[in-house]
Amino acid sequence: MSEATFFVEAPAEGGTSRRGLVLRTLRNQRVALGAALFLAACVLTAILAPWIAPYPLHEQVGPVFGGLSWQHPLGLDDGGIDMVTLLIWGMRVSLVVGFAATFVSMVIGGAVGVVAGYFGGHTDNVLMRITDYFLVIPDVPLMIVVAAIWGPSLFHIIIVIGILLWTSTARVIRAQVKSVRERVYVKRARALGAGHARIVLRHVLPQVAPLLVASTVLTIAVAIFDETALAFLGLSDPSTISLGSIMEHAFERAAISTGAWWAIVPPGVLVTLLILACSLIGGALEDALNPRLRVAHLSARTFRLRPLVGRGKDAL
Amino acid sequence: MRGTDYVLKRVFFAIVTVWVALTINFVLFRLAPGTAVTNLSRVPHATQQLRHALEVEFGLDKSKWQQYVIYLKQLAHGNLGISYANQQPVSTNLRIALINTLPMVTVGTAFAIVFGIFTGVIAAWRRRTKTEGLSVSTALAFYAMPTQWLGLMLIIIFAGIFPTAGMTNEFLLNPPFWTHARDLASHMFLPALTLGLTLYGEYTLIVRSAMLETLGEDYILTARAKGLKPRTIVRKHALRNAMLPITTLIALSLGYIVAGAILIESVFSWPGIGRAVYEAVLQRDYPMLQGAFLVLTLSVIFFNLVADLVYFRLDPRITE
């Protein structure tokens, strides 16, 4: 850490103790730890897809809607393609979309939140107004319209989801930046003549970064959900296979009336687990990192609360 | 006095939001690759003159600003254009679709609110018990499920028991009222249940955390010290106060309801506004898509305003 933290008395200021907090949270919350391990396993599987997928992705290896067998533990889809292979590759695309879109929204939301919280005044008013409008306009229909106009492509899907999901991140970060800005060491840095850029990058950003990550993990869940929705409406790239498009194909090719439940149940279960894992990790991290959620009444019991989205400028 | 200020402020915000939505709608569709003319003038031997005539006809020779003004004027008259797909006015199509959507969405949402509040309150009250664990994990699971997939699962489970597609049985010709009502209800069951279940998970979690917060307040401790029955404390002291954040959050979940309606109607071929969006996307029917987007956005803005006013009614203290 920089010299500015030298005089600070609060315990959780240093980077290491923050990191310690994250680790402690994960250790204390078994569920979140399990979720993190599951997500890590999924990411690893997705990265290793070309090597561990048991069958080629575009090749018919058995009968159409072939049932479960030792060679194909989850059966075959409408093109006679192995379901396990499809799921591994589909998860890869879904995760790429989830992470990339979230990265876009993290950059936008983080920037808006930091700028609004740090500069305050008119800048804050204008940016929060814009955030309010984005919050009211329903994002899925807007995504559908934008995706339909731009045409189906993975890149478009990522950008579309990314530019519509930043609002909650911006609000959480803004509130945090507002409090960090008033801390003594920031004031000292300013008194020493540090410019805005330096204060934001060296002193504010490191403090809000963990919260930014927590809010980001929650956004991954929404991004994956939205990707399956868009893919299901036929708005994803027809040449790539994501978990959403596996569901769409199975639905379109009448997997249900054929009785081929294996073509439609596993992708949904996988998406559910991914969303669940991200929500649990994000929730646990945010509980630990967002001071506004640490409400201890009557000191005997501590209630860990989820963010209550409210109204007005200081709402979370 | 400050109360009226608040109401006026929220109404003003809603009106500005409507304008923002209209403008987004205009700009987005002007960004679409090609114009109506590009497609129409793609006939063999299309001349520059034909192209120009078409441009004049569609008003595309005017400046973007003039087009924007005309667009707003036509909207004020309720003109949303003509659907490419069935050559009917978009507003007529959408009115029919909206009438079909409303009952399904209302039933589903009502189910979710009642059930969500019920399980949420129980989960908060029975804190640190198996009841809480069970209801929270069930709620989380439903919250995490992709809506369309949940619909498909319900189709697999209930196929043969309930109809899985459409809104009415088309072979019933001029049925008596009760037969028709029963037919409609049985068709509505699965779509409404899907919507209800996806929302129920979210609502349970919201209600639980709002209740936990109020149950930690000092006045609850006072009520307990007074020796009031737990049931009275929950109903009269905790839930009443917890209703404030719950109202706000339910209002903010309207976007999810809209998204849910689009996916659910696509799965169950319910001829509502969500299905209109789906078909407009498939057929690249831009006027329909534009109109449907507008109606969905306006309804979300409208119900948000309603929620703001309800909030004010529940708690007149807020004046921002």
Side-chain angles (χ1 to χ4, degrees):
Chain A
M1 285 308 292
S2 58
E3 65 292 339
T5 53
F6 187 68
F7 289 105
V8 172
E9 56 292 315
E13 296 300 335
T16 43
S17 72
R18 281 271 178 161
R19 220 163 289 140
L21 192 63
V22 173
L23 287 178
R24 212 160 46 239
T25 312
L26 284 180
R27 223 181 3 247
N28 290 344
Q29 305 207 1
R30 289 291 164 80
V31 183
L33 182 64
L37 289 178
F38 173 76
L39 193 64
C42 285
V43 171
L44 200 65
T45 314
I47 292 172
L48 297 177
W51 296 281
I52 59 175
Y55 293 94
L57 181 61
H58 298 290
E59 205 172 289
Q60 181 164 7
V61 290
V64 168
F65 283 135
L68 314 190
S69 63
W70 285 113
Q71 287 86 34
H72 308 289
L74 288 174
L76 300 154
D77 84 336
D78 57 273
I81 297 167
D82 180 54
M83 275 305 290
V84 175
T85 312
L86 269 177
L87 286 179
I88 292 174
W89 281 97
M91 188 167 71
R92 184 174 155 113
V93 172
S94 285
L95 283 175
V96 164
V97 172
F99 279 93
T102 305
F103 180 74
V104 173
S105 86
M106 182 177 87
V107 170
I108 301 177
V112 170
V114 167
V115 169
Y118 182 77
F119 289 106
H122 283 304
T123 325
D124 186 22
N125 269 336
V126 170
L127 286 177
M128 280 303 111
R129 256 311 129 79
I130 296 174
T131 314
D132 278 349
Y133 293 127
F134 265 93
L135 211 61
V136 174
I137 292 171
D139 44 0
V140 169
L142 192 53
M143 278 176 200
I144 291 172
V145 167
V146 176
I149 289 174
W150 283 2
S153 106
L154 210 55
F155 179 70
H156 290 166
I157 295 278
I158 290 171
I159 298 295
V160 166
I161 297 178
I163 56 176
L164 290 175
L165 286 185
W166 54 270
T167 45
S168 60
T169 309
R171 287 186 145 208
V172 174
I173 295 304
R174 169 184 167 277
Q176 181 76 354
V177 168
K178 267 185 121 68
S179 88
V180 169
R181 189 180 64 148
E182 298 306 323
R183 287 192 191 155
V184 183
Y185 67 88
V186 175
K187 290 191 169 157
R188 282 192 188 131
R190 194 173 299 141
L192 285 171
H196 292 311
R198 185 180 165 84
I199 294 177
V200 166
L201 292 178
R202 289 296 298 271
H203 304 294
V204 175
L205 215 50
Q207 292 298 316
V208 295
L211 195 59
L212 189 59
V213 171
S215 142
T216 297
V217 179
L218 285 172
T219 313
I220 296 175
V222 184
I224 292 176
F225 181 94
D226 287 343
E227 191 277 330
T228 61
L230 289 177
F232 190 76
L233 297 174
L235 285 170
S236 82
D237 193 339
S239 63
T240 54
I241 289 163
S242 71
L243 291 174
S245 65
I246 297 175
M247 274 186 249
E248 190 241 341
H249 281 259
F251 176 62
E252 291 291 322
R253 317 270 160 78
I256 291 181
S257 47
T258 323
W261 56 267
W262 52 86
I264 218 156
V265 176
V269 172
L270 200 51
V271 172
T272 308
L273 289 177
L274 284 174
I275 293 177
L276 206 53
C278 292
S279 308
L280 289 172
I281 300 169
L285 287 180
E286 212 173 51
D287 278 353
L289 297 170
N290 195 341
R292 294 195 164 212
L293 303 179
R294 241 176 284 155
V295 182
H297 271 295
L298 307 175
S299 69
R301 292 168 297 174
T302 52
F303 292 118
R304 286 271 162 86
L305 298 177
R306 306 267 47 262
L308 289 176
V309 185
R311 296 272 148 162
K313 283 210 301 179
D314 293 314
L316 253 184
Chain B
M1 200 51 216
R2 299 197 53 189
T4 30
D5 275 3
Y6 172 79
V7 172
L8 284 178
K9 225 172 164 180
R10 297 320 304 177
V11 172
F12 179 72
F13 175 74
I15 292 172
V16 177
T17 318
V18 167
W19 172 75
V20 170
L22 294 180
T23 309
I24 289 179
N25 207 356
F26 177 81
V27 173
L28 275 181
F29 282 88
R30 289 304 170 284
L31 290 178
T35 61
V37 172
T38 334
N39 264 336
L40 286 174
S41 60
R42 206 176 277 153
V43 288
H45 313 298
T47 57
Q48 199 59 41
Q49 281 83 357
L50 171 73
R51 204 183 158 75
H52 185 69
L54 280 170
E55 264 172 11
V56 172
E57 194 186 332
F58 283 92
L60 291 171
D61 55 332
K62 299 194 174 65
S63 74
K64 288 274 188 277
W65 180 248
Q66 277 172 313
Q67 289 181 32
Y68 178 60
V69 173
I70 294 172
Y71 163 77
L72 288 184
K73 246 185 222 160
Q74 291 298 320
L75 268 185
H77 291 107
N79 181 2
L80 290 170
I82 306 289
S83 160
Y84 291 166
N86 67 355
Q87 321 300 333
Q88 294 291 314
V90 169
S91 49
T92 317
N93 283 343
L94 287 178
R95 196 164 56 235
I96 300 171
L98 203 57
I99 291 171
N100 289 341
T101 294
L102 277 177
M104 191 271 285
V105 169
T106 315
V107 170
T109 313
F111 166 81
I113 290 177
V114 171
F115 206 52
I117 289 182
F118 184 71
T119 47
V121 166
I122 289 184
W125 187 244
R126 300 255 172 261
R127 183 148 175 75
R128 299 183 203 287
T129 61
K130 277 196 180 138
T131 322
E132 192 210 12
L134 189 69
S135 61
V136 168
S137 40
T138 319
L140 264 174
F142 278 114
Y143 167 74
M145 281 178 200
T147 315
Q148 73 275 21
W149 183 75
L150 181 61
L152 295 173
M153 290 304 102
L154 290 178
I155 290 183
I156 292 181
I157 296 168
F158 289 107
I161 307 173
F162 287 100
T164 55
M167 198 169 88
T168 48
N169 185 347
E170 273 154 24
F171 296 103
L172 287 175
L173 286 173
N174 295 323
F177 178 75
W178 284 114
T179 321
H180 179 67
R182 222 179 44 221
D183 182 44
L184 200 63
S186 72
H187 277 83
M188 198 194 287
F189 180 78
L190 287 183
L193 184 66
T194 313
L195 184 65
L197 286 177
T198 47
L199 293 172
Y200 137 82
E202 202 192 350
Y203 290 173
T204 302
L205 299 173
I206 291 169
V207 171
R208 175 178 159 273
S209 59
M211 278 296 285
L212 281 182
E213 194 181 24
T214 40
L215 282 175
E217 296 281 353
D218 291 347
Y219 55 77
I220 298 293
L221 192 66
T222 313
R224 232 182 241 173
K226 270 160 62 184
L228 294 181
K229 276 187 230 135
R231 182 185 277 271
T232 322
I233 295 176
V234 167
R235 268 181 38 198
K236 295 217 166 137
H237 298 256
L239 185 57
R240 290 236 171 150
N241 285 294
M243 278 320 282
L244 289 170
I246 294 171
T247 318
T248 311
L249 284 161
I250 287 179
L252 281 175
S253 74
L254 282 165
Y256 283 104
I257 298 182
V258 165
I262 296 174
L263 292 166
I264 289 166
E265 289 182 1
S266 312
V267 169
F268 292 98
S269 310
W270 187 267
I273 196 144
R275 173 116 187 126
V277 170
Y278 178 59
E279 281 175 352
V281 167
L282 286 185
Q283 298 158 344
R284 293 290 184 268
D285 186 352
Y286 287 146
M288 253 329 255
L289 188 58
Q290 194 174 16
F293 172 67
L294 199 60
V295 169
L296 290 175
T297 313
L298 292 190
S299 51
V300 169
I301 295 171
F302 174 73
F303 282 108
N304 254 293
L305 178 65
V306 171
D308 275 333
L309 300 182
V310 168
Y311 194 102
F312 176 67
R313 188 97 181 78
L314 289 174
D315 183 3
R317 285 173 309 177
I318 46 152
T319 43
E320 261 185 293

